[in-house]
Every structure is written in C-alpha cells, then in structure tokens.
Amino acid sequence: MSAAEAGGVFLRARGRTLDAFSSEKEREWKGPFYFIQGADPQFGLMKAWSTGDCDSGGDEWKQEIRLTEQAVQAINKLSPKPKFFVLCGDLVHAMPGTPWRKEQTEDLQRVLRTVDSEIPLVLVSGNHDVGNVPTPETIAEFQQTWGDDYFSFWVGGVLFLVLNSQFLYDASMCPALKQAQDQWLDQQLSIAGQRKCQHAIVFQHIPLFLQSVDEDDSYFNLTKLVRKEMADKFSRAGIKAVFSGHYHRNAGGTYQDLDMVVSSAIGCQLGKDTHGLRVVVVTAEKIVHRYYSLDELSEKGIEDDLMDLLKKK
C-alpha cells in the first residue's frame, strides 16, 4: 500500500478535523440523514478469547476478517448511502509493540479499503490501538497509521466530536497530551453549548457508563469521578448522545438528556449479542438508533420505520 493510498483512506483525520467533509458547507441543517456505527473488529481477539490467553493468543483472525468483510458488504449495499461509517475503537487486538500487530493492521486496512469510496471512514482510537496506558510514542503510531486520535467534523448541521478515551482512563504517561485534548474539547463544547449546531454527538471507545452514571467502576467503564465530570460537561453543552464500544455487548442508559449508547462488536462477542452494526438516524428533533446483526443488515437492510424518518423534512 502506497503512502498516498493510505492517506486517502485512513489518514483523513488531520489537523483535528476530517477532510471528508467541508466544515463550511456542512454547518447548515439540510434534513434527516443516517450513519453506521461499528465497534471492536479487534482482529485476533476471537482466537485469544477461545484459548484463554488474551495477552498473547491472537495469532489467527480469519473469523474477524470474514465478519468485517460481511459488515463492509452490508454497508456498501445500503441505499441511500450512509453519510459515514464510524468504527469506535479496538481496530486490532495486538497492543502496541506486541506480535501480530503489523499483520492484523494490514489485514484490517485491506478489508476497510473496500468500503464504498463515497462513504467516509471515521476511525476512533481504543485501548488496544494506543495501549491501556498510552504514551507519546503509541499515540504517534496511531496517528501515522489511522489519523488523528481526536478531532471534530460537521455533517448536515450536526457537530461530531471524536475523543481519545484512554486519556480519560489513564494518562499518567502522557499528561501533556491529555491536557491538550481537554483544552480542545472545552473549545468544541462551547460551540455546542451556544447551540450553533442542530445536534452534537460524541464518539469514544470506552463508555462513560454501561447502564447508570452511579454504577460501580469496572474495566468496561470510566471511573465514577471521571464519568460524572464528563457526563455533566456533555450535558451542559447539550450533547445528545455518546456512542462507544469496548464492552463487546449492547448496553447503555441515560443521564439527564444525554443518551449513552454502547454497541456490541463486529468481532468477538462477550455476551449473547450477535456480530453487528448500529444504524443511527438523525432527524431535526432526535437521534434514533437500532442495532442490527450482520445477517439482518445484509439480507434485509434498514427497516421501513427508520427509512421513513429520512423522508421527513
């Protein structure tokens, strides 16, 4: 893969924005639209999970290749086309500096290059992408491979914010980078807070919470102190929804007017959900979302009630 080829597909998040969309043209509301959210293709986890060796067992990922190919084929068949396809982190299983990372990354990029060129890819960093405790080096590697680790973009009058949630989990090895994201986020939220957008939506890998803002701390959520601070900050700014992955199961809840949406994985399932994708319809008044198994989306497409929402002006 040439640098130009990689840049055209995967390095579109640059300068803290996404070059797939013109911020000037996209700041006005033009009517309902939809996008597709996926999470955790995580090439290598299915083998590692099945062998009980999640640290070093991910030496095969044929199943994940097949599932991600199915996801891409299902998305490419949709009509009208989604505005974009966002992948909410854990793109591959191998952590920075571990075996199989280069091979997993190359295979995932090969599959993602088959996404319809008219459907921009939006790539979010997860803990397996930048490390549980990220460093300046692991962040730089992500940026060189996939683009910026946090950025914003406009689509149809809606402001989308992509965050690096590892900074909220453990930024002890890169405090200056966390501080930079914090300052940038406050600037972005001030735009949302002034209601200069139809809606504002956040993408991040780790959920604020799985069911309730008051739930216990776990591997799969942010700590109570951080989650409450972020939830209050988002709520004050009028953020309508936060979409995440990481849990490998569907979950979610509400806090004030904020919808916390946790989507299960394209790849390895840790619960009883199916490999799938989430369809998200944005109307003037609300954000409606539904999780589909890959088979459902491939065979039947989007249901009529969601399609009807797209017709309302």
Side-chain angles (χ1 to χ4, degrees):
M1 177 179 59
S2 69
E5 192 180 13
V9 179
F10 303 117
L11 301 182
R12 306 197 72 169
R14 283 288 189 232
R16 303 302 174 200
T17 190
L18 193 73
D19 72 12
F21 299 103
S22 163
S23 62
E24 296 308 312
K25 292 180 182 176
E26 293 289 345
R27 283 178 187 256
E28 287 185 30
W29 176 255
K30 301 182 182 75
F33 63 89
Y34 81 102
F35 62 87
I36 301 293
Q37 183 217 6
D40 301 273
Q42 204 159 341
F43 282 23
L45 177 58
M46 293 176 81
K47 166 74 180 295
W49 186 257
S50 69
T51 61
D53 184 3
C54 283
D55 290 330
S56 58
D59 61 342
E60 291 179 19
W61 48 93
K62 289 179 184 173
Q63 289 173 285
E64 287 95 337
I65 289 175
R66 180 181 58 78
L67 289 162
T68 308
E69 285 175 341
Q70 185 183 1
V72 170
Q73 288 161 8
I75 292 167
N76 286 348
K77 283 199 308 189
L78 294 172
S79 180
K81 297 181 195 300
K83 283 286 189 180
F84 59 86
F85 170 33
V86 57
L87 267 176
C88 281
D90 280 4
L91 306 175
V92 299
H93 180 61
M95 290 278 192
T98 65
W100 316 115
R101 184 170 173 89
K102 180 174 181 285
E103 293 85 351
Q104 290 172 5
T105 298
E106 288 175 349
D107 279 347
L108 177 59
Q109 289 188 332
R110 177 178 54 77
V111 176
L112 292 179
R113 277 200 298 276
T114 64
V115 174
D116 188 314
S117 61
E118 294 180 35
I119 305 172
L121 272 172
V122 180
L123 299 162
V124 182
S125 64
N127 57 303
H128 281 261
D129 305 312
V130 298
N132 286 323
V133 184
T135 67
E137 291 75 24
T138 65
I139 298 298
E141 184 206 331
F142 181 87
Q143 292 171 337
Q144 289 159 10
T145 306
W146 300 108
D148 281 347
D149 56 321
Y150 62 91
F151 54 96
S152 64
F153 61 99
W154 289 83
V155 176
V158 178
L159 176 61
F160 292 93
L161 306 180
V162 175
L163 299 185
N164 181 343
S165 57
Q166 289 313 116
F167 291 154
L168 305 174
Y169 187 81
D170 187 344
S172 58
M173 299 292 288
C174 53
L177 294 179
K178 177 190 185 297
Q179 185 179 18
Q181 176 175 266
D182 288 346
Q183 292 174 344
W184 171 89
L185 178 60
D186 286 343
Q187 292 170 345
Q188 297 295 314
L189 291 177
S190 72
I191 297 170
Q194 293 165 34
R195 304 299 187 267
K196 292 182 177 178
C197 50
Q198 189 75 20
H199 304 294
I201 294 171
V202 169
F203 298 123
Q204 60 187 55
H205 180 61
I206 303 178
L208 298 175
F209 55 86
L210 301 174
Q211 273 97 30
S212 164
V213 76
D214 297 316
E215 69 197 19
D216 292 338
D217 295 353
S218 77
Y219 171 78
F220 290 110
N221 59 21
L222 295 174
T223 63
K224 269 187 189 176
L225 187 65
V226 172
R227 94 174 68 119
K228 191 69 174 21
E229 177 191 347
M230 297 303 294
D232 283 335
K233 188 180 280 195
F234 289 161
S235 188
R236 281 195 303 272
I239 299 290
K240 283 285 181 71
V242 177
F243 289 89
S244 70
H246 189 53
Y247 191 44
H248 294 255
R249 286 152 284 203
N250 287 308
T254 56
Y255 175 72
Q256 298 178 6
D257 293 327
L258 179 70
D259 191 10
M260 179 67 244
V261 185
V262 185
S263 292
S264 197
I266 292 172
C268 188
Q269 299 297 313
L270 303 185
K272 295 180 179 176
D273 291 299
T274 54
H275 310 280
L277 295 165
R278 191 172 295 275
V279 175
V280 186
V281 178
V282 182
T283 75
E285 298 81 28
K286 59 189 178 180
I287 294 151
V288 182
H289 53 87
R290 188 171 301 159
Y291 188 82
Y292 285 85
S293 74
L294 295 181
D295 289 342
E296 286 172 330
L297 200 60
S298 298
E299 293 162 15
K300 299 177 183 175
I302 301 171
E303 290 161 296
D304 290 344
D305 63 323
L306 291 184
M307 295 300 286
D308 289 343
L309 291 174
L310 294 172
K311 299 170 186 171
K312 294 181 180 178
K313 296 299 178 188

